[in-house]
Amino acid sequence: MRLAGSLIAIIVLFASMPVAALQDPTRPPGTEAPVIRSQPVRPLSLDSIVYGQDRKVAVIEGEALREGQGANGIRVRKIHQDRVEVLDRGSPRILYLDKLPQVRGTQ
């Protein structure tokens, strides 16, 4: 009886060890699982916004999109007068219109 209790304690001890610590000695070197790296934020250009009561359209990377539409891994969530909320490959982003340069009047 006492031997069975000790054997169970040893089995429980080994079963609770992390499995990742064990390595397969027959596996060839260099076959580890690939490391998943987050993709860098890609540059997106918000070209223009058409904002009205009945119509809201954002032109992103030359593509006219309405709320809910998507293209090239971008989905438009919400269009505002000065910005657009998008999901870029599943990550939320906010795109702003570029400020126009100041133009002097000529005389």
Side-chain angles (χ1 to χ4, degrees), residues 48-79:
S48 64
I49 297 174
V50 175
Y51 190 87
Q53 287 182 339
D54 299 330
R55 186 174 171 183
K56 296 176 186 174
V57 178
V59 179
I60 303 171
E61 297 290 320
E63 193 81 32
L65 301 170
R66 295 181 182 200
E67 291 178 351
Q69 291 182 324
N72 301 324
I74 304 164
R75 177 151 316 275
V76 177
R77 294 175 63 189
K78 181 87 172 147
I79 299 174

Side-chain angles (χ1 to χ4, degrees), residues 30-99:
T31 59
E32 293 83 20
V35 176
I36 298 174
R37 296 182 181 148
S38 63
Q39 297 178 347
V41 176
R42 62 181 170 163
L44 293 175
S45 68
L46 175 58
D47 302 324
S48 64
I49 297 174
V50 175
Y51 190 87
Q53 287 182 339
D54 299 330
R55 186 174 171 183
K56 296 176 186 174
V57 178
V59 179
I60 303 171
E61 297 290 320
E63 193 81 32
L65 301 170
R66 295 181 182 200
E67 291 178 351
Q69 291 182 324
N72 301 324
I74 304 164
R75 177 151 316 275
V76 177
R77 294 175 63 189
K78 181 87 172 147
I79 299 174
H80 302 272
Q81 288 180 335
D82 62 341
R83 67 191 183 283
V84 178
E85 298 175 25
V86 299
L87 286 176
D88 180 15
R89 298 184 210 145
S91 299
R93 290 181 62 185
I94 299 177
L95 305 178
Y96 294 93
L97 286 171
D98 289 333
K99 298 210 185 277

Side-chain angles (χ1 to χ4, degrees), residues 3-18:
L3 179 63
S6 297
L7 186 59
I8 291 174
I10 291 172
I11 291 172
V12 168
L13 177 67
F14 281 114
S16 66
M17 292 178 65

